[in-house]
Amino acid sequence: MEQYILVVIITAVIAGGLGVFVGRILLKKFNKKSEREAREKAKMILKEAEINAESIKKDRILEAKEKYFKLKTEYEEELNKKKNIIITNENKLKQREQVISKQMEQVKRQEAELESMKENLSAQLHSLQVKKDELDKVTKLKIAELEKISNLTADEARDQLVETLKDEAQTKASSHIKDILDEAKLTATKQAKKVVLDTIQRTATEHAIENCVSVFNIESDDIKGKIIGREGRNIRALEAATGVEIVVDDTPEAIIISGFDPVRREIARLSLHRLVQDGRIHPARIEEIVAKTEKNIEEEIIEIGERTAIDLGIHGLHPELIRLVGRMRFRSSYGQNLLQHSREVAKLCATMAAELGLNAKLAKRAGLLHDIGKVYPEEAELPHAVLGMELAKKYKEHPEVCNAIGAHHDEVEMTSMISPIVQACDAVSGSRPGARREIMDSYIKRLHELENMALSFDGVNKCYAMQAGRELRVMVDAENVTDERAGQLSFDISQKIEKEMQYPGQIKITVIREMRAVNYAK
C-alpha cells in the first residue's frame, strides 16, 4: 500500500513538472506572438503619426505664408501712409520757409526805415534843444523884467504863490476830511441798523406789519360765520394746525392772517381758500386740508427753487440748497422780496464778472446763494452771511462761492475776486429807488429840492439829479462862467447842500461848461 502511494506521489510530481514545462513553452509562444502584434501595431501608429505630422506641417506652412503676406501688405500700406505724411510735411515746411523769407525781407526793410526815422528824430531833437536854449534865454530876460516891474524876486513871488495855494489846499482838504468823516459815520450807523433789523427778522421777536400780516379776501361777510364756527372752534382748530393768528374783525370782506413765518401764513391762506371753496368747514376737515396744503407748499417750494435755478442757468445745486432757494419766495428783506433780490443780484454779478473777464457762472451762483442764510429754518446765533457760507461748505459748493457768501457783509476776509462783486451787486440791488421801503413822495421832493438849490446860483441854466439823487449834473452858461468859476461853483453848491439838506451817502456835483460856436453857410 505504501508503495502504491509512493508511486502515485512520484507520478503526480512528474506530471506537475511536465505541466510547468509545457506551460512555459506555451507562454513563450504567446509572448512572442503578442510582441509581434505590438510591433506591427506600433509601426502602423508611427506611420499614421508621420502622415498626420506631414499634413499639419503643410497647413502650418500655408498659414505662415498667408500671415506673412498679410503683414507685408499692412506694412507696405503703413509705410506708404508715412511717406505721404512726410511728403506733406516737407511741402508745408517749404511753404513756411518761403513765408519766413518774405517776413525777413519785410523786417529788413522796416529796420532800414526805422534807422532812417531815428536819424530824422535825432536831427529834430537837436533842433528842439537849440530852440529850448533860446527859449530859456528869453524866459530869463522876461523874469528879470518882471522882477524890476513888481519889485519882487522870482523866489519871493514863488513863496507868495505857494502860501496862497497852501491856504486854498487846506480849505479843500478840510472839506474832504469832513466828507470822509461824515460818510464813515453814516455808513457805521447804517450797518448797525442793518444788523439790528437782520437780527429782528431772523429771531422773529417783533416785525413790521408788512412782514407779518396777510389778507384773505372773501366774497361776503356771511362766510365769516362759517369760518369762525360754533363758539369759535373752527378758528381755534385752524390756528392750532397752522401756527398763525386769524383775526376776524369788522374789516369788510377780509380776514387778517398774522404770523412771523411767511410760509405758515401762506399755508393758512391757501387752506382758508380751499375750505371756503369746498364749503365744509369743521375741525376734522380743517386738519385734513392743512396737511394737504403743507405738502403742496413743500412741493411748490422745491418747484420754485428748481425753476429759479433753470431760469438762471445754474446746475448741480444740492437739493437742500434748491429747497432753501424756493423758501426765499416767501421771505422779505426790508420789504424787498428775497427771491427777486437774489435773482437780481445773480444777474448783476454775472454781468459784472463777464465785463471784468472773470468766471460769470461762479459769480451768478454766488449771487443767487448770498442770502441763503436768511431762510435757514433753524435758529442760529451766527450772522446770516456766515451761516450761508457754512451751509454752502456743507453742500460742497466751490470755495470762491463760499467766500463770496460769507464776505458780502465783511464778516470774513475776501479771498477771491468774486467776493467784492457780490458785495457791490447786493448794494446795487438793495439801494436802487423803489427796491426797499422809502416813501416815494419824500424821495421825489428831495430830488426837486436838490435841483432847485443848484438852479439858485448865477450862471446855472439847467440842473438834473441823476442816479437816484447821488449825482447832480449842472449845466452852466459858457459866456458868463469861466473854467475857474465852474470849479468854484461845484464847491459852493456842495457846501450849500451839506448845510441845508439831509441825504443818505454822498452827492457828486458835476458842473458842465460847454462852449459852442455856431455859424450858417448861405
Side-chain angles (χ1 to χ4, degrees), residues 151-250:
N151 294 325
L152 290 173
T153 65
D155 293 335
E156 291 173 349
R158 189 182 300 109
D159 293 338
Q160 289 184 4
L161 181 61
V162 168
E163 290 296 328
T164 304
L165 293 174
K166 187 186 295 183
D167 294 338
E168 184 179 353
Q170 287 178 351
T171 303
K172 290 187 177 180
S174 300
S175 175
H176 285 302
I177 290 170
K178 185 177 181 299
D179 291 343
I180 293 169
L181 289 174
D182 291 343
E183 183 181 357
K185 291 178 182 178
L186 183 62
T187 304
T189 304
K190 183 179 178 182
Q191 291 295 328
K193 290 179 180 179
K194 187 175 183 302
V195 170
V196 171
L197 288 173
D198 274 348
T199 305
I200 290 172
Q201 289 190 338
R202 292 284 311 288
T203 54
T205 52
E206 293 183 8
H207 283 63
I209 187 168
E210 291 85 355
N211 282 341
C212 62
V213 168
S214 298
V215 178
F216 175 69
N217 297 313
I218 56 178
E219 295 179 357
S220 65
D221 290 340
D222 296 336
I223 300 175
K224 288 184 179 181
K226 293 182 179 179
I227 294 174
I228 294 171
R230 184 180 299 173
E231 298 177 355
R233 64 175 187 171
N234 292 343
I235 288 290
R236 289 194 298 272
L238 189 59
E239 289 179 346
T242 59
V244 299
E245 182 181 359
I246 310 296
V247 181
V248 183
D249 53 14
D250 295 334

Side-chain angles (χ1 to χ4, degrees), residues 97-131:
E97 287 177 356
Q98 294 175 357
V99 172
I100 290 171
S101 300
K102 292 180 180 178
Q103 291 178 350
M104 289 295 293
E105 292 176 358
Q106 292 179 356
V107 169
K108 289 179 180 178
R109 287 198 299 269
Q110 290 176 356
E111 286 179 353
E113 292 175 357
L114 288 173
E115 190 66 27
S116 176
M117 290 175 63
K118 183 178 177 182
E119 293 176 356
N120 293 332
L121 286 173
S122 298
Q124 292 176 1
L125 286 173
H126 179 70
S127 176
L128 289 173
Q129 185 64 36
V130 173
K131 291 181 180 179

Side-chain angles (χ1 to χ4, degrees), residues 346-358:
K347 292 178 181 178
L348 289 170
C349 288
T351 303
M352 190 176 292
E355 290 292 332
L356 295 173
L358 301 175

Side-chain angles (χ1 to χ4, degrees), residues 210 433-434 436-446:
E210 291 85 355
R436 296 182 175 178
R437 278 191 204 96
E438 184 174 7
I439 300 173
M440 186 59 65
D441 292 337
S442 63
Y443 168 73
I444 295 174
K445 182 179 178 182
R446 180 168 65 84

